[in-house]
Amino acid sequence: MRAHVVTFGCQMNEYDTHAIQSELAGIGYSFVEDYHDADLVLVNTCAVRGKPVEKANTFLGELRKVKQQRGNLTIGLMGCLAQLPEGQRMGRKFNVDIMLGPGAITEIVPAIEKGRFQSFEFKSELQFYSPPPPQGAVTANLTIMRGCNHRCTYCIVPATRGDEVSRPAADILAEARSLQDAGVVEVTLLGQNVNSYGLDAGTGTRRKSLAGYPSFGELLRMVGRVGIPRLRFVTSHPINFDDEIIEAIADTPAVCRYIHLPVQSGSNRVLKRMAREYTREYYLDRVRRIRELLPDATLTTDIIVGFPGETEEDFQETLTLYNEVEYDAAYMFNYSEREGTPAAIHFDDIAKAAKTERLTRLIELSKQVSLKQNQKWVGREVEVLIKGASDEEGFAQGHTRGNHVVMMEGSPAPGIHQALVIHATPNRLYCRLSGAAATTQMLKSRSLPVLQTNLVQ
Ligand code: SAM
Ligand code: SF4
């Protein structure tokens, strides 16, 4: 039995794909690179923006053709898109056999046994599910909470992933230990809003901890003591990014000084229409506290450009905020209308050309700011986790504790190395192993490419 599993979307989908593959391996499946060779193809989808939905649509069309030619192919649509009316229409159109929402992935084995099956439940067993560690990996993800209690007006996630549910701390610690035993040196704690971990129902700043759960700050300290060299977390919602969390990061050596804090817009008027629950001033106060306690921390963000009703003035406020914070990098998106969200129901989308024109300006600014930030690292020693070969000849690829993409001269083995930063571009730090013979000449004589690694859709 041969399976092919495709993942569209975020790290949480990658984690779920790993869990699905582990379940399939448990019932005797092997995995093939080419879906033409598979008996079972599962598509784990994202629905946050239109682009990943289009990708899933195109791929399902191809699978339908293979199925029509061969007859014996089982197709499964899983994840966020499967949960939505839009995905269910696609499932019917492309004659999909298995449809499982993101809360029902634990039903994959019975679904395959039945051959045709669908479930859109949020199964309580998922809260207590731990996948086995990945084999031979140096980095791994660890989901600590699922779902989202917020209701940002543009966002489909509350409809696809349901309300927040946190996993028990003991299970998280056990999973972290098993990752460490498997040789993982960097673990990323995942959640739609990791810093809502262990909080009771609702939103805002006054939520209490659930009985028996540590706060997110306490959890960071607990996982930090396991002994894994690097610990990361994404994503944090600004409203619950409290001082306790910043202090826990400062006090816990394993926790990388990398904070991804999506702002979405610099304009209070737009933030209000987005229902983000904070103001520009509140957000900047969080940044101020981060800079005070973690002066070397990398700070990145998500920004949506062209939200309905965004004026040039509103957009200018995003640009001034960007300049004020001096982000190291950003994921910048054109607003993408999602069926059924409050923004799609109540607001009119603005012209695509206007969105793209603003996005281009924002990307230009981000490149300038990133270059300035990256140049601060030239001449300094950094710790680099090498993952393998890079797309540039003569360099291996890795990343610093601050999550800067690193091009390391030579071909050092996967793992953690000390290095000297010798050159910076907006998206990369070029490094040499500490103690290695100087080959700066080689770098000076080449014209270094400026690669855009910020995600743009
Ligand atoms: N929970 C995190 C937060 O609130 O900061 C973010 C999770 S969301 C899945 C990831 C990012 O997708 C968001 O930060 C936002 O920038 C982007 N996003 C969500 N809905 C979008 C939409 N309709 N159009 C464009 N970007 C969107
Ligand atoms: Fe979406 Fe907002 Fe929840 Fe983030 S906090 S997942 S943007 S609804």
Side-chain angles (χ1 to χ4, degrees):
M1 294 184 300
R2 289 160 306 175
H4 178 83
V5 189
V6 183
T7 315
F8 295 119
C10 62
Q11 281 165 289
M12 295 198 74
N13 273 10
E14 281 167 21
Y15 180 86
D16 286 348
T17 292
H18 168 63
I20 292 161
Q21 285 176 319
S22 307
E23 292 294 310
L24 295 183
I27 55 168
Y29 273 92
S30 58
F31 298 96
V32 288
E33 290 285 320
D34 184 346
Y35 63 86
H36 293 96
D37 301 330
D39 315 298
L40 169 72
V41 180
L42 298 177
V43 192
N44 193 12
T45 55
C46 169
V48 167
R49 284 170 293 278
K51 277 225 175 117
V53 173
E54 281 165 29
K55 273 194 202 163
N57 190 60
T58 307
F59 189 51
L60 288 174
E62 286 172 29
L63 292 178
R64 179 172 61 179
K65 275 190 226 147
V66 178
K67 188 172 176 149
Q68 281 163 350
Q69 284 156 6
R70 283 203 348 220
N72 61 340
L73 175 67
T74 303
I75 304 173
L77 182 63
M78 307 185 66
C80 285
L81 181 57
Q83 193 73 20
L84 297 171
E86 190 179 16
Q88 288 156 25
R89 287 196 297 272
M90 257 182 227
R92 288 190 291 275
K93 177 173 163 199
F94 295 112
N95 193 18
V96 166
D97 304 284
I98 295 168
M99 298 276 297
L100 295 179
I105 56 168
T106 50
E107 293 193 84
I108 185 62
V109 172
I112 292 168
E113 283 161 1
K114 288 188 179 102
R116 228 175 154 81
F117 182 78
Q118 58 178 44
S119 172
F120 308 109
E121 263 185 75
F122 292 98
K123 307 287 283 184
S124 54
E125 65 213 39
L126 194 52
Q127 190 183 359
F128 306 105
Y129 180 85
S130 270
Q135 296 301 307
V138 288
T139 61
N141 295 320
L142 198 176
T143 290
I144 62 165
M145 57 84 69
R146 290 173 183 270
C148 177
N149 284 2
H150 299 273
R151 294 291 179 266
C152 303
T153 53
Y154 51 80
C155 187
I156 201 70
V157 168
T160 62
R161 290 193 173 258
D163 285 338
E164 290 170 1
V165 179
S166 296
R167 290 181 63 197
D171 292 5
I172 294 169
L173 288 170
E175 195 169 321
R177 287 189 198 104
S178 79
L179 291 171
Q180 184 188 28
D181 292 345
V184 168
V185 295
E186 181 183 286
V187 169
T188 303
L189 305 181
L190 298 181
Q192 290 301 336
N193 303 298
V194 276
N195 52 334
S196 298
Y197 176 82
L199 297 181
D200 64 5
T203 57
T205 51
R206 289 163 189 244
R207 294 166 71 185
K208 301 247 174 335
S209 278
L210 289 165
Y213 280 83
S215 66
F216 179 61
E218 286 162 348
L219 184 77
L220 277 181
R221 291 175 194 267
M222 289 159 80
V223 185
R225 284 194 289 269
V226 165
I228 298 162
R230 289 177 166 206
L231 184 62
R232 305 185 175 285
F233 56 89
V234 279
T235 294
S236 304
H237 193 296
I239 196 74
N240 298 118
F241 205 78
D242 55 32
D243 287 359
E244 192 208 331
I245 296 171
I246 305 171
E247 284 157 18
I249 301 168
D251 292 347
T252 313
V255 179
C256 295
R257 272 52 173 164
Y258 167 75
I259 296 165
H260 183 63
L261 203 62
V263 67
Q264 316 298 358
S265 169
S267 151
N268 280 336
R269 205 180 68 86
V270 174
L271 288 172
K272 197 164 183 192
R273 282 162 69 84
M274 289 178 162
R276 281 295 286 180
E277 302 169 37
Y278 53 81
T279 58
R280 175 189 175 106
E281 293 71 28
Y282 182 94
Y283 183 93
L284 286 173
D285 177 67
R286 296 297 75 211
V287 171
R288 180 191 56 75
R289 193 69 185 134
I290 292 167
R291 297 285 191 223
E292 265 170 24
L293 287 189
L294 305 164
D296 264 348
T298 301
L299 197 56
T300 62
T301 197
D302 291 347
I303 295 177
I304 297 178
V305 170
F307 184 73
E310 182 191 78
T311 61
E312 176 58 27
E313 245 170 37
D314 293 319
F315 178 64
Q316 286 297 331
E317 292 191 40
T318 297
L319 297 180
T320 59
L321 179 123
Y322 202 103
N323 263 322
E324 191 168 341
V325 176
E326 297 191 305
Y327 291 110
D328 294 274
Y331 295 88
M332 296 160 280
F333 311 105
N334 269 347
Y335 167 71
S336 170
E337 189 175 85
R338 307 306 301 128
E339 180 182 311
T341 56
I345 295 167
H346 300 294
F347 303 144
D348 291 329
D349 202 355
I350 65 175
K352 187 161 183 236
K355 290 192 253 189
T356 304
E357 189 272 326
R358 282 180 195 162
L359 184 61
T360 309
R361 277 193 276 159
L362 180 61
I363 291 170
E364 212 29 66
L365 171 65
S366 79
K367 280 188 197 165
Q368 289 165 19
V369 177
S370 293
L371 180 61
K372 185 175 154 207
Q373 293 293 82
N374 282 352
Q375 278 170 340
K376 290 183 187 162
W377 291 92
V378 175
R380 291 176 68 178
E381 288 268 338
V382 288
E383 183 198 283
V384 181
L385 173 52
I386 294 292
K387 289 190 78 176
S390 80
D391 54 6
E392 282 190 56
E393 212 187 317
F395 294 89
Q397 184 156 341
H399 54 279
T400 65
R401 294 183 70 88
N403 222 20
H404 306 93
V405 175
V406 166
M407 292 289 127
M408 181 86 88
E409 282 181 4
S411 44
I416 293 176
H417 300 268
Q418 292 300 318
L420 179 71
V421 181
I422 47 184
H423 180 78
T425 70
N427 305 300
R428 295 183 169 190
L429 298 181
Y430 285 80
C431 295
R432 184 169 65 225
L433 283 178
S434 291
T439 47
T440 351
Q441 196 51 41
M442 167 184 152
L443 275 163
K444 282 187 180 144
S445 62
R446 325 172 50 235
S447 75
L448 290 165
V450 175
L451 294 167
Q452 180 62 36
T453 53
N454 291 342
L455 289 188
V456 179
Q457 285 191 347

